[in-house]
């Protein structure tokens, strides 16, 4: 399928402009890289924005220790291909150092623990801007973000204290200790992302394509069978053909029953879907404001 959609080129130009603004306004920026499609897109846009020079930002991965092996394999291969610098912040190290306490029980997750590790990594490397792949269509808290999203000296986000962004003017001024989260693909939709990835023929993690996997059902979601997820006595492992619409910590990332094995298949599936990609994220279901609460604490 050929993609010649003009609006994708418009979105690309906007994102590249923002990436170059970050390089111009900040001293130590970085790309927050999860291995998911959105962070992959931001990374490839950065490659295009500064070609033929290498990407001028390190990739920062906050590793929960409960990642899919496929994600880590893809991450390491991408770093080699692009010649990028990789910085890993380890949640396990934060636990070992007593910085955070491991959750217990059937629904235990390390998602919330990432915040401390992220803030420590930002502080240790003195990053003044961290770029990520959040989009406004994903979730209501992310819809409140600006392109340049200010964080105070504690790394916290105040949605009521964000700067106006008129036309293409972005204000990156800050006081000592403050930093910014920057979202170059804020105006993209999930469908835009997949259409662009197909148009540019960008290789993607295998988790996004349908494959047979051992899963079990919990609260209406299919979760991957894993030593990191304790199962209840009533739950049973089944083999299903699934794929993942979003990639995160294995304890909170739900699978989708699907037969999509190509980018074109995914695009058709997303175009017909009435469920958002984060509908399969267990961490978003802890409360109505779970994402916003984490963002206020300093989460990405």
């Amino acid at each position: 399928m050929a993609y010649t959609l003009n609006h994708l080129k418009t979105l690309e130009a906007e994102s590249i402009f923002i990436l170059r603004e970050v390089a111009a306004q900040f001293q130590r920026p970085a790309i927050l890289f999860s291995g998911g499609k959105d962070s992959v897109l931001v990374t490839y846009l950065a490659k295009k924005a500064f070609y033929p020079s290498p990407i001028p930002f390190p990739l920062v991965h906050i590793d929960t220790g409960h990642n899919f092996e496929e994600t880590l394999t893809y991450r390491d291969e991408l770093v080699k291909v692009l010649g990028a610098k990789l910085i890993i912040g380890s949640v396990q190290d934060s636990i070992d150092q007593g910085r955070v306490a491991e959750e217990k029980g059937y629904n235990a997750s390390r998602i919330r623990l990432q915040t401390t590790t992220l803030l420590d990594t930002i502080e240790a490397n003195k990053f003044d801007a961290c770029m990520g792949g959040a989009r406004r269509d994903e979730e209501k808290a992310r819809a409140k973000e600006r392109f340049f999203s200010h964080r105070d000296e504690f790394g916290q986000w105040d949605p009521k204290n964000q700067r106006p962004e008129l036309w293409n003017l972005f204000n990156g001024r800050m006081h000592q200790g403050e930093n910014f989260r920057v979202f170059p693909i804020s105006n993209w939709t999930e469908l835009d992302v997949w259409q662009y990835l197909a148009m540019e023929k960008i290789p993607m993690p295998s988790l996004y394509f349908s494959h047979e996997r051992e899963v079990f059902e919990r609260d209406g979601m299919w979760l991957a069978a894993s030593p990191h997820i304790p199962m209840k006595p009533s739950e049973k492992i089944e083999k299903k053909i699934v794929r993942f619409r979003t990639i995160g910590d294995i304890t909170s990332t739900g699978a989708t029953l699907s037969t999509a094995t190509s980018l074109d298949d995914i695009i058709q599936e997303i175009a017909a879907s009435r469920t958002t990609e984060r509908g399969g994220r267990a961490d978003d279901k802890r409360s109505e404001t779970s994402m916003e609460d984490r963002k206020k604490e300093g989460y990405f």
Side-chain angles (χ1 to χ4, degrees):
M1 185 181 296
Y3 296 97
T4 57
L5 301 178
N6 290 332
H7 81 280
L8 294 180
K9 288 298 183 181
T10 301
L11 290 169
E12 176 193 72
E14 178 184 64
S15 298
I16 286 176
F17 176 81
I18 293 167
L19 286 160
R20 290 172 177 167
E21 277 291 296
V22 170
Q25 293 196 39
F26 298 97
Q27 298 298 314
R28 294 182 64 84
I31 294 176
L32 296 178
F33 186 83
S34 67
K37 66 184 183 308
D38 300 315
S39 61
V40 170
L41 172 59
V42 171
T43 302
Y44 272 91
L45 286 169
K47 175 187 176 183
K48 181 172 285 193
F50 300 100
Y51 183 83
S53 298
I55 297 174
F57 320 115
L59 305 186
V60 176
H61 182 213
I62 304 303
D63 185 357
T64 66
H66 293 170
N67 293 105
F68 290 93
E69 284 300 321
E70 295 93 330
T71 301
L72 301 181
T73 299
Y74 179 88
R75 178 199 69 189
D76 294 342
E77 290 177 352
L78 180 66
V79 168
K80 289 181 181 179
V81 168
L82 298 181
K85 179 181 180 181
L86 175 65
I87 295 174
I88 300 174
S90 169
V91 172
Q92 185 62 55
D93 286 349
S94 298
I95 294 170
D96 295 342
Q97 294 164 10
R99 296 281 292 145
V100 293
E102 183 96 68
E103 292 184 1
K104 305 297 182 182
Y106 290 117
N107 296 310
S109 172
R110 291 185 172 184
I111 291 295
R112 198 143 202 156
L113 310 188
Q114 291 181 97
T115 298
T116 298
T117 307
L118 172 59
L119 294 178
D120 287 349
T121 303
I122 290 173
E123 177 66 23
N125 292 276
K126 294 181 168 52
F127 294 132
D128 51 5
C130 293
M131 292 168 283
R135 309 185 323 271
R136 293 190 180 114
D137 76 318
E138 285 182 89
E139 200 270 344
K140 56 188 177 183
R142 287 182 166 172
K144 299 178 182 179
E145 292 278 19
R146 302 288 198 268
F147 282 109
F148 278 32
S149 183
H150 175 264
R151 296 301 197 271
D152 65 19
E153 63 271 25
F154 301 107
Q156 296 175 325
W157 174 65
D158 180 359
K160 297 180 179 179
N161 188 29
Q162 296 297 310
R163 299 168 182 179
E165 292 180 341
L166 305 176
W167 302 287
N168 59 353
L169 301 176
F170 303 104
N171 183 354
R173 296 179 183 177
M174 59 188 168
H175 297 294
Q176 183 69 30
E178 298 175 343
N179 65 79
F180 277 79
R181 308 292 165 80
V182 180
F183 304 107
I185 63 170
S186 286
N187 286 338
W188 296 58
T189 66
E190 183 185 11
L191 187 58
D192 292 330
V193 171
W194 283 114
Q195 288 178 329
Y196 184 86
L197 294 171
M199 181 176 72
E200 295 291 308
K201 297 181 173 58
I202 294 173
M204 297 302 295
S206 59
L207 287 168
Y208 281 117
F209 303 100
S210 294
H211 57 284
E212 186 177 66
R213 181 177 290 269
E214 290 188 341
V215 295
F216 66 94
E217 189 173 11
R218 176 180 292 174
D219 299 329
M221 293 184 297
W222 291 102
L223 295 174
S226 166
H228 302 307
I229 312 177
M231 294 179 61
K232 301 174 183 178
S234 59
E235 296 170 338
K236 63 178 183 178
I237 293 176
E238 303 178 52
K239 285 189 175 181
K240 297 285 185 179
I241 302 297
V242 300
R243 73 176 194 86
F244 295 87
R245 285 180 67 182
T246 178
I247 296 177
D249 185 283
I250 198 168
T251 62
S252 62
T253 304
T256 300
L257 301 178
S258 171
T259 58
T261 57
S262 68
L263 290 178
D264 287 345
D265 291 342
I266 291 174
I267 289 167
Q268 292 178 15
E269 184 178 275
I270 296 302
S273 176
R274 293 297 176 266
T275 304
T276 68
E277 63 200 285
R278 293 194 71 90
R281 290 294 292 265
D283 48 311
D284 286 354
K285 299 181 185 297
R286 291 195 170 193
S287 75
E288 286 292 323
T289 61
S290 58
M291 172 64 81
E292 183 159 336
D293 292 342
R294 294 200 304 275
K295 289 173 72 66
K296 288 178 178 178
E297 294 168 358
Y299 180 70
F300 165 67

